[in-house]
Amino acid sequence: MKYVDEFRDGTLARGLAAAIRAEADPARRYAFMEFCGGHTHAISRYGVTDLLPPNVRMIHGPGCPVCVLPIGRIDLAIRLAFERGVTVLTYGDCLRVPASDGLSMLKAKARGADIRMVYSAADALALAQREPGREVVFFAIGFETTTPPTALVLQQARALGLANFSVLCNHVLTPSAIQTILESPEVRQFGTVPLDGFIGPAHVSTIIGSRPYEFFAEEYRKPVVIAGFEPLDVMQAIRMLIRQVNEGRAEVENEFTRAVNRDGNLKAQALVSEVFELRRSFEWRGLGQVPYSALRIRAPFAAWDAEVKFGLDYRSVPDHKACECGAILRGVKRPSDCRLFATVCTPENPMGSCMVSSEGACAAHYNYGRFRDHAPDNGRSTPPATIRLAS
Amino acid sequence: MCLAIPARVVAFAADDQAVVDLGGVRKQVSLALVDGVELGDYVIVHVGYALSRLDPEEAEATLALLREAGALLEPASGEAPA
Ligand code: SF4
């Protein structure tokens, strides 16, 4: 596929790997966090870790909206379906996220709740239009990438005066999550994660641009490189981060110039700010309450806000005691440090949210990296002859 | 969840909709979030909506940089990169 395959080319990957090895100073260690699950997925799936020198370590961050969705929010959707008899529509990724009482939306559906999967917010709106007798709630989730489509359907619902449609808004914001990782007390408690820089979000940045990350570069003296989701994009970003560290710079650089600029998509931003406002605080799975990290629906759209319409009250529910998602999302632990990993907790039967989506750190490691744990040299000292190019 | 793919716009339809080609598969997507898309443009598509245009010149420039990375090293290191 054009603009995809070129960025998965094995020969170029080997050249880039050599360039990274040449630029990484053997006398120092580098640790970079990729914020987005899309990067985590690319790194695991294409064996990027195997192409890096042993002193360059990638740490998986919290950047998967499914992984950071707390149990209590999914409980709200399940209660709506069971107790109020509404039809809940959501993206496929959300269906298997573990909720209270051993349930998930999928298991609730099997027990008779009317919960269905949609491919787009527009499909949810269309169902409400087609069946005016049915109460339809769109369970909206996602970072800045998925928020503009939700804003659009809310606007359309208001324009149509659609009385049987509402949105349960779970949209969260990436910059505040990065800030939380840098300031988290848990990180201090576990000892600091030695983060030398971030690979910044790809598709989120098509909307918000690269400007919001300038704050981190300045305030925390951490380099940020915005990168595309293909393996060569990630490798080039690592190379750019190494170079910044070597030169003592902490700037925002953009590897993904083919889709991202400094300002982002202004039309989408205007739409989002017309429909949504900041929540004071929102609970993230694994990170706890994060101030000003999520959006809620503005008052003029209250009639389409499921939380207002159904008077929902949020109850926080602790994660499974043995699940280490919280530490993993902060970069303090690795999936294999969790005692449930690949035994009790698998992608077929996830205990924690990091095992649900293929972008989650545990699922990515389960599918593509598990065997490396048992390699005698940890699999990293000799780069393989070929990059794995499954597509 | 946030993954989006580049697709080529092959036709326009009513209500800000367009038909895109995704490596041979045709799909209808909404152009409501991006202004000024022209026929033949590549757009980044996510959950049924185009999020931004893809700039072919910038894509080429990035690829050129990636090619350069390996090419610069090969003769100097005297060995085929692993
Ligand atoms: S392996 Fe499962 S239980 Fe353990 S941290 Fe990962 S998602 Fe949580």
Side-chain angles (χ1 to χ4, degrees), chain A residues 7 12 236, chain B residues 57-71:
Chain A
F7 295 90
L12 290 186
Q236 174 70 353
Chain B
E57 280 172 30
E58 287 294 337
E60 227 0 273
T62 304
L63 278 170
L65 271 178
L66 300 179
R67 283 189 209 109
E68 218 172 87

Side-chain angles (χ1 to χ4, degrees), chain A residues 133-369:
Chain A
R134 184 187 292 281
E135 192 61 49
V136 173
V137 173
F138 177 53
F139 185 82
I141 154 174
F143 290 123
E144 291 87 340
T145 331
T146 335
T147 309
T150 307
L152 260 182
V153 293
L154 276 163
Q155 248 192 1
Q156 287 163 339
R158 187 172 68 160
L160 293 163
L162 208 58
N164 63 325
F165 178 78
S166 58
V167 171
L168 181 47
C169 176
N170 302 287
H171 286 297
V172 283
L173 304 167
T174 46
S176 36
I178 297 187
Q179 192 169 351
T180 301
I181 294 163
L182 289 167
E183 290 182 341
S184 142
E186 286 81 357
V187 165
R188 263 171 242 137
Q189 169 195 328
F190 287 116
T192 34
V193 188
L195 282 182
D196 298 303
F198 286 92
I199 297 189
H203 297 138
V204 159
S205 305
T206 63
I207 302 294
I208 64 174
S210 62
R211 196 197 300 271
Y213 303 99
E214 289 170 7
F215 168 77
F216 299 101
E218 283 159 25
E219 199 68 14
Y220 297 96
R221 302 292 308 148
K222 298 284 181 202
V224 179
V225 176
I226 310 286
F229 281 142
E230 299 306 332
L232 294 189
D233 290 317
V234 178
M235 292 181 73
Q236 174 70 353
I238 293 170
R239 183 178 168 224
M240 291 163 81
L241 284 170
I242 289 173
R243 201 174 279 174
Q244 284 207 44
V245 171
N246 288 350
E247 293 170 5
R249 288 183 291 126
E251 295 163 14
V252 174
E253 292 181 320
N254 182 7
E255 184 277 338
F256 199 35
T257 51
R258 62 187 185 279
V260 168
N261 58 33
R262 189 164 177 244
D263 292 327
N265 182 337
L266 298 174
K267 186 178 186 186
Q269 288 170 27
L271 181 70
V272 167
S273 64
E274 190 201 322
V275 176
F276 296 108
E277 62 192 12
L278 279 176
R279 283 186 203 255
R280 277 259 166 90
S281 186
F282 191 78
E283 186 183 3
W284 291 53
R285 200 168 208 152
L287 298 183
Q289 290 289 337
V290 181
Y292 300 106
S293 65
L295 298 173
R296 68 164 180 229
I297 298 166
R298 283 189 192 273
F301 295 87
W304 295 275
D305 181 348
E307 282 174 71
V308 177
K309 184 171 180 177
F310 297 98
L312 301 181
D313 78 298
Y314 178 75
R315 271 172 260 157
S316 173
V317 180
D319 281 324
H320 189 289
K321 274 205 299 298
C323 175
E324 299 276 13
C325 279
I328 290 167
L329 293 173
R330 288 184 164 87
V332 183
K333 288 190 177 171
R334 305 182 198 213
S336 43
D337 295 331
C338 173
R339 44 191 182 86
L340 305 183
F341 178 76
T343 52
V344 180
C345 182
T346 61
E348 292 73 42
N349 185 29
M351 298 299 293
S353 51
C354 293
M355 193 56 102
V356 174
S357 136
S358 65
E359 293 155 45
C362 294
H365 191 62
Y366 184 92
N367 288 324
Y368 305 107

